[in-house]
Amino acid sequence: MKMVNIRSLLACVVWACALLGGGWAEGLELKPGMGWLKPGGEWNLRTPIRVLLAGDSLMQSLGPQMRDSLRGYTNLTLIPFGRKSTGLSRSDYYNWPRALKERLVADKPHLVIFWVGTNDPQGIYGKSGLGEPCSNAWQLAYLGKIREIFHLVQQHRARLILMGPPVVSDPKLDAQLATINKLMGWVCRKDGVCYVDTRSILSDSRGRFLAEGSLLSGRRVSLRTPDGVHITTGGNQRIMEHLLPYVSLELKRCFYTQPASGTAAKPGARSGAQLSGKSAAR
C-alpha cells in the first residue's frame, strides 16, 4: 500500500472546508448600512481609539473613504499604513509580519484592519521550496502566514478585521484569488477572527466581476478602474457600506460608553475620525 502524502491530504481537507467559507463575523448577521456607532450621536468612545489600516494598494485607496465614512466619531484616530504591490506570499520582497509588529509596538492600535491577498498568487519560497501558487503545499504554507498575522495582533492585545481579495476581471488571476478568499474565510471562521469577503461586495449574484453597481442609496457608480483590479471611489463607498457594521462591532468591543440622554461627550474628545500624520506609501 502506498504511503499517503500527509501534507497533500491535509490540504485537501482544508480546501473542502474552505469551500463552505465566506464572509463571517462570529455568527452575527451583519447587513450593509447597519451600524451601532452613529456619527456624533448614540455611541461615544470612552477613551481614544486607534485603528491601524494596513495592507496593499487597495487599502491605500480605501483609507480616505474610511475617514469620510467615520467622520463624526469622537476619540477615533485612523493610522494609514499601506504598501503597494505587497502581500503575504513574498516575505523576501516585503515582510508584513515584521513591518506590522513595528507598527503595533509604535502605534499601539486597538483595532487592525488588514487587507491583502490580491498580490499573493506568487511562489512562496523558503527552505521547503514551495513555488507553485495555490497548490496544496502552497495553501498550507499560506495558511501558516495568515495565522502568523493573527497571533501577532493577538499578542499585542488588538482586535483584527481581515479583508479578502476582490473579484477581478482576469479569469486566471480571479480563480487564484477565489482560492485565497476561501482559505481566508475558513481560517477566520476556525480561529474566531472577523472576516470581510470583498468578492461578494464587488460581484453580481452569480459571483461575476462588476464594473459598475449601485450604492444603498440606489445611485449607480463605477466600481472598478480600467485595469480590472483596483477600485474606484464609488467602489470604495460600496465596500464601506458593507464594512462599517464590522468596524462598528469591533470598535464597540474595544472601549465605549453609552451616555445618558443629554449627557455631553467627555471634555477634550476629538471630533471626527482623524488620519494620523503617518503617511502610506505611494
Side-chain angles (χ1 to χ4, degrees), residues 16 32 53 81 92-93 117-119 143 177 199 224 226 232 252 281:
L53 310 178
F81 184 60
D92 59 320
Y93 173 72
T118 307
N119 300 307
L143 281 174
L177 295 183
R199 288 184 65 83
R224 311 301 290 271
T232 64
K252 187 180 177 183

Side-chain angles (χ1 to χ4, degrees), residues 50-56 59-60 62-67 70 77-83 96 100 103 107 109 111-115 163 240 243 247 274-276 278 280:
R50 295 174 296 279
V51 180
L52 181 65
L53 310 178
D56 56 26
M59 178 55 86
Q60 285 181 312
L62 182 64
Q65 184 59 50
M66 191 174 298
R67 174 199 59 203
L70 295 174
T77 299
L78 303 182
I79 306 168
F81 184 60
R83 292 294 183 269
W96 263 111
L100 190 57
R103 295 266 53 89
D107 300 316
L111 172 64
V112 177
I113 305 178
F114 191 50
W115 193 3
M163 299 176 64
M240 280 306 306
L243 177 61
V247 175
Q274 308 290 325
L275 276 175
S276 79
K278 300 176 180 64

Side-chain angles (χ1 to χ4, degrees), residues 72-142:
Y73 296 125
T74 58
N75 275 347
L76 179 62
T77 299
L78 303 182
I79 306 168
F81 184 60
R83 292 294 183 269
K84 65 181 181 180
S85 304
T86 63
L88 296 179
S89 62
R90 289 292 304 275
S91 56
D92 59 320
Y93 173 72
Y94 190 79
N95 191 318
W96 263 111
R98 182 172 59 198
L100 190 57
K101 181 177 181 179
E102 292 174 355
R103 295 266 53 89
L104 286 167
V105 171
D107 300 316
K108 296 179 174 56
H110 301 87
L111 172 64
V112 177
I113 305 178
F114 191 50
W115 193 3
V116 294
T118 307
N119 300 307
D120 279 334
Q122 302 184 56
I124 296 178
Y125 299 99
K127 293 181 180 179
S128 57
L130 305 175
E132 183 63 28
C134 297
S135 65
N136 289 344
W138 186 97
Q139 291 182 47
L140 283 176
Y142 192 75

